[in-house]
């Protein structure tokens, strides 16, 4: 007997749930998403089921991601059995039978609902990448997704133990071939010709080291080790070299996951890094707040600075006098609009050898594209861009990089092409996957196509995420969501773009390539407000305060009636998803909150005519309309100016000094760097409960999570905070300190770079150890998709 609703629902509740489903069948909505399902059920209970708790019905419905009313009385439900695993049920018959549907059947039904005019003979292209994951390890427990490195280490150490002849030989070959900056390191292959000679050589070398009286004369130690066949790179001191040799010996003789990871982490593999971030206005000054230019720029610059610092120390510990070099590759824009985006090379502040390398886009006729281009329209230029970037970075490095990091969809696709052509390990960082940000972006893709070109972007995502050696995300929910909501990567498991393609299996979330490594902030810029000696001069702070609270010019709107009130502060681009206008509207509706605090916004520009982004211009107009509608003059300050990074850090501290709070009201936030900036500055935080903030903030402990779609509840929570502050002088300080403590413990760039470098080394060995055939099948399939689908559709995009 198949499943019925009784498999999930307690029998007394069946009548009410069936009645609820009948109501859905009668509704005009053919596709109902999770939030609307729950709201409808709440309304249904109020009318029909008063006095009943209906606990099992609630439990069942919270796992239903969507319901489709297809035909007659038939309902199709996407039931989230567990994280990263959905089941499709068709609810039929009076006995509430649940018929299991395959993914293919579900997508065909969904397509026919949206495009009933499609003939059966017009078969939609199907993509199924599952058959290409028939090699290597796969995780089984969804709770382990996002910690792939642990599973991979376990898998490789087990193979070293069970197949020592094969895997020890692989490890030996990996060490023998190793070089950095063109210098051959670790093993002399002519003196140590196989694993048995490696093991005996280790014993001789360790015997020497144990009897060595060289003291701190590391050069003498290295010279002697060369006579045993051990070249440079094992360590910078006798104790360090001994530890590394012991780790290698244990890995060969009695391997375990911890030993293998620690040994591979000791190998000096990374000195040249390329970070790819093509879109937007990538620079250090006068760029933040421009279209497509925000958190990703801050993230990449801070990551590069921290990476140089970490790699310098890592190479030193290996005993090598090698200075790391990092290139941030972006697009050169001749019409620079007051930025340095027309400069080929720009050194990154506060670094020794980190550079922004800009490479232009060329059109089909070979002419340089002079103007800024939206991130949704860069696709026609990326193929040639990858070719040009390879030439440029080879010239700058005098060879290949050791690691390529892609950023966002466009950067990840370029990183994929470079990784393939140069044979370099590739890491992907999505920052945000647009598929989750725009409702029904897949289902109604053709309605979005003229502006967003999702058919091209989603294919670029599929290709890049499947070919990346490893993927890092800032949070676990970015990959697989929460117990009740689907994650960004998870949304690529299966979907349909009606009339274009059915993705039966787009990504294997159980592959160990996924790892969670949250970022940090630049602690030279974002530090606690009470560290007075590190702050700008009193004069600079006073001038910045005048700008934020008093100055009247074309970039500043609003004169505060009660400037002594604490500020509610928010800073973001004026994108719909950032929901700054939603915060303004909610504040405008709450008279009590307006009497408790002023609203301070730093966002974009004040004049919509000055914006080149249609969505941003629309939000600017909406801001002005809301200020008029709710008569917010005297209660709001809107600064439409791009601040220097150092000034932005000081603004957070000024807001903290005045007893303010930071509010991040996004409808969805992949991570939320501004949240970390505020927490590191000691400013209490209220942030959206949708997305990354769930893993940054401990609700009611180190900050507060809010539902930005429930404006009344959002402002009530902020108002309640100010009420408590008025009655308890320590209340504000408590949340300031708790937020600061969590940020400095778990979200730092040093910890991020330590883990990123470790991943590069471990996945580097894994990449070397798997067979060419296993890797090539997936690569060949993705290359077909790139050439036959991506390229052809990208060519049609006009700028």
């Amino acid at each position: 007997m198949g499943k019925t609703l009784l498999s999930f629902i307690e029998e007394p509740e069946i009548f009410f749930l069936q009645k609820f489903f009948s109501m859905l069948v009668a509704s005009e909505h053919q596709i109902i998403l999770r939030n609307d399902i729950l709201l409808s059920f709440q309304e249904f209970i109020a009318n029909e089921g008063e006095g009943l708790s209906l606990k099992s019905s609630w439990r069942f419905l919270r796992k239903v991601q969507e319901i489709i009313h297809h035909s007659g009385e038939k309902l199709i439900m996407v039931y989230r059995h567990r994280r990263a695993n959905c089941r499709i049920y068709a609810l039929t018959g009076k006995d509430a039978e649940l018929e299991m549907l395959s993914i293919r059947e579900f997508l065909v039904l969904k397509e026919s609902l949206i495009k009933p005019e499609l003939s059966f003979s017009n078969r939609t292209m199907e993509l199924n990448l599952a058959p290409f994951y028939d090699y290597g390890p796969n995780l089984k427990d969804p709770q382990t997704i996002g910690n792939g490195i642990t599973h991979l280490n376990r898998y490789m150490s087990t193979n070293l133990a069970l197949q020592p002849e094969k895997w020890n030989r692989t490890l030996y070959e990996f060490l023998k071939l190793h070089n950095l900056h063109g210098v051959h390191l670790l093993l002399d292959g002519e003196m140590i010709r196989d694993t048995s000679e490696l093991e005996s050589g280790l014993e001789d070398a360790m015997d020497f080291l144990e009897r060595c009286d060289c003291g701190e004369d590391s050069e003498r130690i290295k010279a002697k080790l060369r006579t045993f066949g051990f070249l440079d790179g094992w360590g910078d001191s006798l104790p360090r070299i001994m530890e590394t040799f012991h780790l290698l010996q244990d890995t060969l003789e009695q391997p375990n996951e911890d030993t293998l990871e620690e040994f591979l982490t000791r190998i000096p593999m990374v000195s040249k890094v390329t970070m790819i971030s093509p879109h937007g206005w990538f620079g250090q000054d006068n760029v933040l707040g421009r279209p497509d230019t925000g958190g990703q720029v801050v993230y990449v610059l801070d990551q590069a600075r921290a990476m140089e610092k970490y790699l310098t120390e890592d190479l030193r510990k290996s005993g090598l006098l090698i200075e790391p070099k990092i290139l941030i590759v972006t697009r050169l824009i001749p019409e620079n609009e007051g930025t340095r985006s027309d400069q080929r090379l720009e050194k990154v502040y506060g670094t020794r050898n980190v550079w922004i390398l800009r490479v232009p886009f060329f059109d089909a006729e070979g002419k340089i594209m002079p103007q800024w281009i939206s991130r949704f329209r860069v696709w026609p230029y990326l193929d040639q861009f990858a070719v040009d970037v390879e030439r440029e970075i080879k010239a700058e490095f005098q060879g290949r990089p050791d690691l390529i990091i892609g950023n966002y969809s466009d950067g990840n696709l370029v990183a994929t092409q470079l990784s393939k052509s140069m044979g370099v390990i590739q890491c992907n960082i999505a920052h945000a996957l647009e598929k989750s940000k725009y409702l029904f972006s897949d289902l109604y893709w053709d309605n979005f196509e003229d502006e967003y070109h999702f058919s091209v972007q989603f294919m670029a995502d599929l290709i890049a995420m499947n070919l990346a050696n490893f993927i890092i995300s800032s949070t676990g929910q970015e990959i697989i969501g929460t117990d009740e909501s689907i994650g960004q990567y998870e949304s690529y498991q299966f979907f349909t773009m009606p009339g274009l393609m059915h993705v039966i299996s787009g990504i294997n979330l159980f592959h160990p390539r996924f790892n969670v490594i949250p970022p940090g902030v630049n602690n030279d810029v974002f530090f606690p407000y009470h560290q007075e000696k590190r702050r700008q001069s009193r004069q600079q702070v006073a001038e910045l305060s005048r700008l934020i609270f008093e100055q009247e010019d074309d970039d500043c709107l609003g004169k505060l009636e009660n400037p002594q009130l604490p500020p509610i502060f928010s800073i973001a681009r004026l994108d719909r998803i950032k929901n700054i206008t939603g915060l303004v509207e909610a504040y405008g509706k709450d008279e009590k909150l307006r009497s408790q605090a002023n609203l301070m916004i730093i966002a974009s520009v004040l004049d919509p005519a000055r914006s080149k982004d249609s969505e941003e211009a629309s939000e600017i107009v909406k801001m002005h309309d809301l200020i008029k509608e709710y008569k917010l003059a005297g209660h709001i300050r809107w600064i439409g100016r791009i601040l220097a990074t150092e000034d932005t850090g000081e603004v957070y501290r000024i807001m903290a000094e005045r007893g303010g709070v930071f509010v991040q009201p996004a409808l969805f936030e992949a991570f939320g760097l501004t949240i970390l900036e505020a927490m590191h500055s000691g400013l209490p935080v209220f942030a959206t409960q949708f997305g990354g903030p769930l893993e940054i903030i401990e609700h009611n402990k180190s900050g507060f999570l809010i539902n930005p779609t429930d404006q009344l509840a959002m402002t009530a929570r902020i108002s309640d905070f100010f009420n408590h502050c008025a009655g308890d002088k320590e209340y504000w300080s408590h949340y300031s300190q708790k937020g600061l403590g969590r940020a400095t413990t778990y979200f730092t760039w040093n910890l991020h770079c330590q883990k990123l470098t470790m991943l590069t080394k471990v996945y580097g060995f894994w990449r070397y150890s798997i067979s060419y055939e296993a890797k090539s099948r997936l690569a060949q399939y993705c290359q077909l998709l790139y050439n036959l689908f991506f390229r052809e559709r990208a060519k049609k995009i006009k700028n």
Side-chain angles (χ1 to χ4, degrees):
M1 183 178 177
K3 281 186 177 289
T4 68
L5 277 178
L6 282 171
S7 306
F8 302 95
I9 309 299
E10 294 176 9
E11 189 166 4
E13 301 181 23
I14 284 289
F15 168 76
F16 288 96
L17 194 58
Q18 284 184 302
K19 191 172 182 181
F20 171 65
F21 286 143
S22 298
M23 183 192 78
L24 294 183
V25 169
S27 75
E28 60 183 20
H29 301 292
Q30 291 183 299
I31 300 176
I32 310 170
L33 299 183
R34 179 178 176 275
N35 281 351
D36 291 327
I37 294 168
L38 297 178
L39 287 172
S40 296
F41 191 58
Q42 189 174 26
E43 184 178 334
F44 171 79
I45 290 175
N47 296 329
E48 303 283 345
E50 190 174 352
L52 288 175
S53 65
L54 301 177
K55 287 183 179 179
S56 62
S57 298
W58 275 114
R59 190 164 54 244
F60 175 75
L61 290 175
R62 285 192 180 101
K63 285 182 167 285
V64 175
Q65 301 303 306
E66 64 180 284
I67 292 178
I68 296 175
H69 171 212
H70 192 266
S71 61
E73 296 183 357
K74 191 174 186 179
L75 290 179
I76 312 297
M77 293 185 288
V78 179
Y79 179 78
R80 200 156 183 262
H81 173 61
R82 58 177 186 165
R83 290 191 186 193
N85 193 319
C86 286
R87 295 177 178 178
I88 316 297
Y89 293 118
L91 179 65
T92 59
K94 293 181 180 179
D95 295 329
E97 295 176 356
L98 293 174
E99 174 193 350
M100 183 88 80
L101 298 182
S102 69
I103 297 297
R104 178 177 286 105
E105 290 171 327
F106 170 67
L107 296 181
V108 170
L109 283 172
K110 201 170 184 181
E111 178 184 58
S112 67
L113 185 71
I114 304 303
K115 287 188 176 293
E117 72 278 6
L118 285 177
S119 65
F120 181 76
S121 60
N122 184 16
R123 294 290 182 90
T124 301
M125 177 178 71
E126 288 188 355
L127 299 185
N128 184 1
L129 284 89
F132 299 101
Y133 284 92
D134 57 351
Y135 69 94
N138 267 307
L139 290 74
K140 292 182 172 57
D141 182 1
Q143 300 300 325
T144 62
I145 295 174
N147 191 22
I149 192 66
T150 297
H151 192 78
L152 186 60
N153 279 322
R154 187 174 301 142
Y155 175 83
M156 291 194 295
S157 61
T158 299
N159 277 291
L160 280 162
L162 298 179
Q163 304 177 58
E165 185 174 342
K166 174 186 175 182
W167 277 78
N168 283 356
R169 177 73 186 181
T170 300
L171 180 58
Y172 160 75
E173 293 288 348
F174 181 72
L175 298 176
K176 183 183 74 170
L177 295 173
H178 191 59
N179 67 83
L180 205 63
H181 271 231
V183 178
H184 189 196
L185 301 173
L186 301 178
L187 295 183
D188 184 335
E190 294 183 1
M191 297 182 66
I192 301 177
R193 292 166 294 184
D194 54 33
T195 53
S196 61
E197 290 187 359
L198 174 59
E199 290 173 352
S200 62
L202 267 176
E203 292 179 0
D204 293 341
M206 290 172 71
D207 179 63
F208 157 72
L209 291 172
E210 288 170 356
R211 295 181 290 100
C212 178
D213 61 352
C214 301
E216 297 183 3
D217 190 350
S218 59
E219 290 304 316
R220 183 180 166 194
I221 295 172
K222 291 178 185 178
K224 182 63 177 178
L225 289 177
R226 292 189 194 104
T227 66
F228 297 111
F230 293 95
L231 306 178
D232 292 353
W234 295 99
D236 64 338
S237 65
L238 190 149
R240 178 85 176 179
I241 295 170
M242 281 288 288
E243 288 174 6
T244 308
F245 279 176
H246 274 299
L247 288 167
L248 175 56
Q249 194 172 51
D250 289 344
T251 299
L252 293 169
E253 296 177 0
Q254 46 187 1
N256 64 61
E257 58 194 273
D258 294 331
T259 302
L260 177 62
E261 180 181 295
E262 179 61 25
F263 171 68
L264 292 174
T265 301
R266 295 287 185 101
I267 300 175
M269 294 190 205
V270 187
S271 64
K272 300 175 183 176
V273 180
T274 298
M275 300 174 175
I276 313 292
S277 183
H279 73 261
W281 299 86
F282 200 104
Q284 301 179 85
D285 301 300
N286 197 29
V287 296
L288 295 181
R290 292 173 180 266
D292 294 346
T293 310
Q296 181 174 317
V297 172
V298 176
Y299 182 113
V300 175
L301 284 170
D302 286 351
Q303 183 190 50
R305 292 187 188 96
M307 197 70 177
E308 181 192 42
K309 187 176 180 180
Y310 182 82
L311 289 178
T312 299
E313 181 64 12
D314 186 62
L315 293 166
R316 184 196 64 77
K317 287 181 178 178
S318 297
L320 301 175
L321 298 177
I322 293 177
E323 184 175 307
K325 183 173 183 177
I326 297 173
L327 293 177
I328 303 170
V329 179
T330 189
R331 184 196 161 206
L332 186 142
I333 307 175
E335 295 178 2
N336 65 355
E337 296 190 12
T339 72
R340 288 202 286 272
S341 293
D342 60 335
Q343 294 184 11
R344 178 180 176 273
L345 274 176
E346 179 184 349
K347 190 175 182 181
V348 173
Y349 303 147
T351 68
R352 290 172 58 85
N353 211 7
V354 180
W355 301 83
I356 299 171
L357 171 64
R358 298 186 179 92
V359 179
F361 284 172
F362 290 91
D363 64 16
E365 298 177 355
K367 297 179 181 177
I368 292 177
M369 291 294 293
Q371 75 276 12
W372 170 85
I373 299 170
S374 162
R375 71 185 187 276
F376 297 114
R377 296 178 177 273
V378 300
W379 307 109
Y381 310 101
L382 297 186
D383 196 50
Q384 183 61 44
F385 183 71
V387 173
D388 297 334
V389 165
E390 180 174 349
R391 182 185 64 251
E392 295 285 343
I393 61 178
K394 280 183 175 178
E396 289 297 322
F397 282 138
Q398 296 297 299
R400 303 181 309 168
D402 306 308
L403 168 66
I404 299 172
I405 302 174
N407 293 276
Y408 188 69
S409 300
D410 51 5
N412 287 331
L413 187 68
V414 173
T416 300
Q417 295 298 95
L418 294 172
S419 173
K420 175 180 177 290
S421 63
M422 292 194 287
V424 176
I425 190 168
Q426 170 196 358
C427 164
N428 281 5
I429 305 173
H431 295 279
L433 292 164
E434 301 291 346
K435 187 171 178 295
S436 301
K437 291 167 63 176
Y438 292 83
L439 189 63
F440 295 131
S441 57
D442 52 357
L443 207 55
Y444 296 101
W445 66 273
D446 46 356
N447 294 341
F448 291 95
E449 196 68 358
D450 287 345
E451 185 171 2
Y452 297 114
H453 304 285
F454 286 144
S455 67
V456 177
Q457 181 157 9
F458 294 172
M459 181 59 76
D461 287 334
L462 286 169
I463 292 170
M465 67 178 61
N466 277 285
L467 291 183
N469 297 112
F470 64 98
I471 295 170
I472 63 174
S473 67
S474 298
T475 64
Q477 65 78 34
E478 185 179 331
I479 308 169
I480 57 167
T482 66
D483 288 333
E484 297 174 346
S485 61
I486 287 176
Q488 292 185 65
Y489 282 99
E490 187 179 359
S491 72
Y492 282 79
Q493 281 189 305
F494 62 88
F495 62 94
T496 181
M497 302 179 83
L500 184 67
M501 63 178 168
H502 297 322
V503 178
I504 307 297
S505 177
I507 184 67
N508 181 4
L509 297 178
F510 291 88
H511 188 277
R513 62 162 51 94
F514 290 98
N515 290 275
V516 176
I517 312 180
V521 300
N522 185 342
N523 293 120
D524 291 332
V525 175
F526 303 101
F527 55 86
Y529 69 97
H530 50 73
Q531 294 184 4
E532 293 289 345
K533 292 183 179 179
R534 299 180 61 190
R535 294 181 62 176
Q536 295 180 357
S537 69
R538 290 185 179 181
Q539 181 180 348
Q540 288 173 308
V541 173
E543 290 175 357
L544 194 54
S545 295
R546 278 194 296 273
L547 167 66
I548 300 302
F549 292 100
E550 301 171 15
Q551 191 165 309
E552 297 180 29
D553 58 30
D554 292 341
D555 295 328
C556 303
L557 178 67
K559 185 174 182 179
L560 298 176
E561 292 177 359
N562 298 303
Q564 75 280 0
L565 291 177
I568 298 170
F569 175 53
S570 194
I571 180 171
R573 298 188 311 277
L574 275 175
D575 295 342
R576 281 194 294 269
I577 200 75
K578 294 298 184 183
N579 196 38
I580 295 295
T581 52
L583 173 61
V584 173
E585 183 176 26
Y587 176 80
K589 291 177 179 178
D590 195 319
E591 291 185 15
K592 182 180 179 183
L593 185 58
R594 293 206 307 269
S595 69
Q596 293 174 299
N598 294 315
L599 183 59
M600 312 294 299
I601 302 293
I602 298 180
S604 300
V605 294
L606 303 186
D607 183 357
R610 291 173 57 192
S611 174
K612 292 187 176 182
D613 185 282
S614 59
E615 182 178 306
E616 180 186 60
S618 175
E619 289 293 289
I620 293 170
V621 171
K622 187 176 180 180
M623 279 277 282
H624 286 289
D625 290 344
L626 289 169
I627 291 170
K628 291 177 183 176
E629 178 180 355
Y630 292 103
K631 298 179 175 59
L632 293 180
H635 300 278
I636 188 172
R637 282 278 292 176
W638 175 13
I639 310 301
R641 178 181 293 185
I642 298 170
L643 299 180
T645 303
E646 293 76 12
D647 287 343
T648 302
E650 194 59 59
V651 168
Y652 283 109
R653 290 186 286 274
I654 291 170
M655 299 298 175
E657 280 182 326
R658 293 181 175 232
V661 298
F662 179 76
V663 179
Q664 208 276 28
L667 299 174
F668 177 84
E669 182 59 63
F671 182 67
L673 276 177
T674 55
I675 298 168
L676 281 189
E677 291 169 357
M679 292 171 74
H680 275 274
S681 304
L683 189 60
V685 169
F686 293 76
T688 180
Q689 66 186 33
F690 301 122
L694 279 170
E695 295 179 41
I696 300 176
I697 294 170
E698 297 172 297
H699 183 54
N700 280 337
K701 293 182 180 179
S702 55
F704 303 92
L705 295 168
I706 54 176
N707 181 351
T709 64
D710 188 343
Q711 293 183 346
L712 185 63
M714 176 173 68
T715 55
R717 184 175 290 279
I718 299 170
S719 178
D720 184 61
F721 177 85
F722 285 120
N723 275 339
H724 278 88
C725 290
D728 180 358
K729 293 182 180 180
E730 298 301 319
Y731 191 78
W732 186 94
S733 296
H734 171 80
Y735 282 97
S736 170
Q737 293 166 10
K738 288 293 183 181
L740 177 61
R742 181 163 175 79
T744 54
T745 301
Y746 297 104
F747 302 96
T748 69
W749 278 118
N750 183 63
L751 189 59
H752 173 98
C753 293
Q754 177 186 342
K755 292 180 178 178
L756 174 56
T757 305
M758 180 266 288
L759 291 176
T760 303
K761 296 178 178 183
V762 174
Y763 282 93
F765 176 60
W766 164 245
R767 182 174 181 270
Y768 176 82
S769 67
I770 58 178
S771 70
Y772 173 79
E773 290 78 13
K775 293 183 290 185
S776 65
R777 289 194 300 270
L778 179 58
Q780 288 168 359
Y781 185 71
C782 288
Q783 195 61 29
L784 281 174
L785 295 175
Y786 181 84
N787 286 304
L788 300 181
F789 183 98
F790 172 84
R791 252 186 188 162
E792 294 307 309
R793 293 194 71 87
K795 286 177 184 176
K796 299 175 183 177
I797 298 174
K798 304 298 182 183
N799 281 290

